[in-house]
Amino acid sequence: GITRKMSFGINSKFNGIESKTPFLIGVSGGTASGKSTVCKRIMEKLGQVDMDHQQRRVVCISQDSFYRNLTPTEKLKAEKGQYNFDHPDAFDDDLILQTLQDILAGVKCEIPAYDYRTNSLMKDQVTTIYPADVVLFEGILVFYFPKIRDLFHMKLFVDTDSDTRLARRVPRDIKERGRDLDYVLNQYMNFVKPAFEEFCLPTKKFADVIIPRGADNTVAIDLIVHHIWDILRLKKAENSTGQHPFFYQHRRT
Ligand code: CTP
């Protein structure tokens, strides 16, 4: 009971203010595997997307918001497709850790959006993460850093075939990320594919649930959503009775 209460499920005190400790879900998988869509579906099924931002019980953050600022030299490299955005060093893992710890402590956080056209963060486009019941954190390397990996209450890996992912990535990068075909294919062969095999794929073994075919897999998404609902229900029961939910259930039967 104690472990459960410490990891999530009760109000925690921060600066004297009662705050919520969210259920934190990590979602990983290769580029264009459908991580964002899986997160979107989970949010939709939990029925929260249309709710007011401050009342929303489910929020989603992308690892892209934690790319390091590029030096002028790195910026030039990136423009020529010679910068490795798929290497763990490209991310500010200290900032990710700090942010997730704040989120778990129920502290309000501000997360900038990322602009793939300029390879930089958009400081003026900030999403405020209010204390939530469920927080999804998605990205290619969210299970790579051990300290970050250990913070998740649930780990999902979206497992989509490499050819399917490449077939999605090429038009997406050309249409949405302002790149040309040569750039996309060179970047894929030089950095994206080798880094996937070296850093992302080996983290699949840390996942609690592997989702084949990504967002098309409605059965897997339904199962996950039902599990999240169960957890939220237990959490609510625990909060309202001040007692451990299993004890509560036991007493009622
Ligand atoms: N990337 C890039 N240029 C940048 C920053 C990142 O091309 N300036 C690429 C990296 O090469 C990396 C990819 O962005 O492979 C990470 O985003 P991805 O996982 O493909 O996008 P999501 O929308 O988060 O994931 P999904 O398609 O699975 O929903």
Side-chain angles (χ1 to χ4, degrees):
I2 297 295
T3 322
R4 192 181 175 84
K5 285 197 174 193
M6 276 174 40
S7 60
F8 67 90
I10 56 162
N11 289 340
S12 59
K13 281 225 172 187
F14 186 81
N15 287 345
I17 302 162
E18 288 281 328
S19 58
K20 284 194 271 184
T21 302
F23 186 69
L24 187 61
I25 305 174
V27 182
S28 196
T31 181
S33 54
K35 300 179 290 297
S36 321
T37 318
V38 165
C39 291
K40 203 170 142 227
R41 294 274 177 281
I42 291 176
M43 291 176 75
E44 280 167 3
K45 295 215 171 190
L46 285 173
Q48 304 298 328
V49 276
D50 296 326
M51 277 174 87
D52 176 73
H53 210 70
Q54 279 202 52
Q55 297 186 349
R56 189 182 284 178
R57 294 167 64 202
V58 189
V59 288
C60 183
I61 311 167
S62 169
Q63 192 181 19
D64 300 343
S65 298
F66 297 90
Y67 268 118
R68 289 182 198 279
N69 275 325
L70 300 183
T71 62
T73 324
E74 288 170 337
K75 232 178 164 119
L76 284 174
K77 274 189 160 184
E79 280 157 22
K80 289 188 259 174
Q82 289 164 6
Y83 182 85
N84 193 348
F85 285 105
D86 294 74
H87 194 282
D89 291 349
F91 295 96
D92 188 343
D93 52 317
D94 288 337
L95 187 61
I96 298 177
L97 185 65
Q98 185 57 56
T99 307
L100 293 183
Q101 281 169 342
D102 282 352
I103 287 171
L104 285 171
V107 179
K108 192 176 87 173
C109 293
E110 308 233 297
I111 312 231
Y114 189 74
D115 184 355
Y116 296 91
R117 291 175 188 264
T118 59
N119 306 308
S120 57
L121 291 167
M122 298 190 278
K123 300 274 185 213
D124 53 337
Q125 276 201 38
V126 172
T127 304
T128 306
I129 309 293
Y130 295 96
D133 291 323
V134 179
V135 175
L136 294 145
F137 185 55
E138 70 89 10
I140 49 174
L141 295 174
V142 299
F143 303 149
Y144 180 80
F145 307 98
K147 282 190 199 152
I148 296 171
R149 191 203 303 147
D150 287 348
L151 294 179
F152 298 115
H153 299 118
M154 184 197 265
K155 297 190 272 299
L156 312 177
F157 191 95
V158 184
D159 199 7
T160 306
D161 291 342
S162 302
D163 51 358
T164 307
R165 293 190 294 102
L166 179 60
R168 285 183 190 157
R169 169 138 177 168
V170 173
R172 181 190 72 185
D173 281 11
I174 293 172
K175 274 187 227 135
E176 294 167 24
R177 298 186 177 179
R179 315 264 165 94
D180 65 30
L181 183 62
D182 254 15
Y183 183 109
V184 180
L185 292 180
N186 279 323
Q187 184 196 12
Y188 190 86
M189 293 312 290
N190 294 332
F191 300 118
V192 182
K193 181 182 161 79
F196 170 74
E197 282 162 8
E198 189 173 351
F199 307 113
C200 177
L201 195 53
T203 68
K204 185 158 90 171
K205 63 173 174 283
F206 301 116
D208 302 309
V209 183
I210 295 167
I211 309 173
R213 306 181 305 281
D216 295 344
N217 193 337
T218 49
V219 174
I221 291 171
D222 277 349
L223 286 169
I224 292 161
V225 168
H226 276 109
H227 185 66
I228 299 170
W229 268 127
D230 283 347
I231 288 161
L232 293 180
R233 256 204 307 273
L234 287 174
K235 197 169 153 173
K236 219 172 152 193
E238 190 172 340
N239 281 342
S240 62
T241 61
Q243 278 166 340
H244 189 280
F246 296 128
F247 175 69
Y248 176 69
Q249 282 178 347
H250 184 69
R251 263 200 337 168
R252 281 170 52 109
T253 50

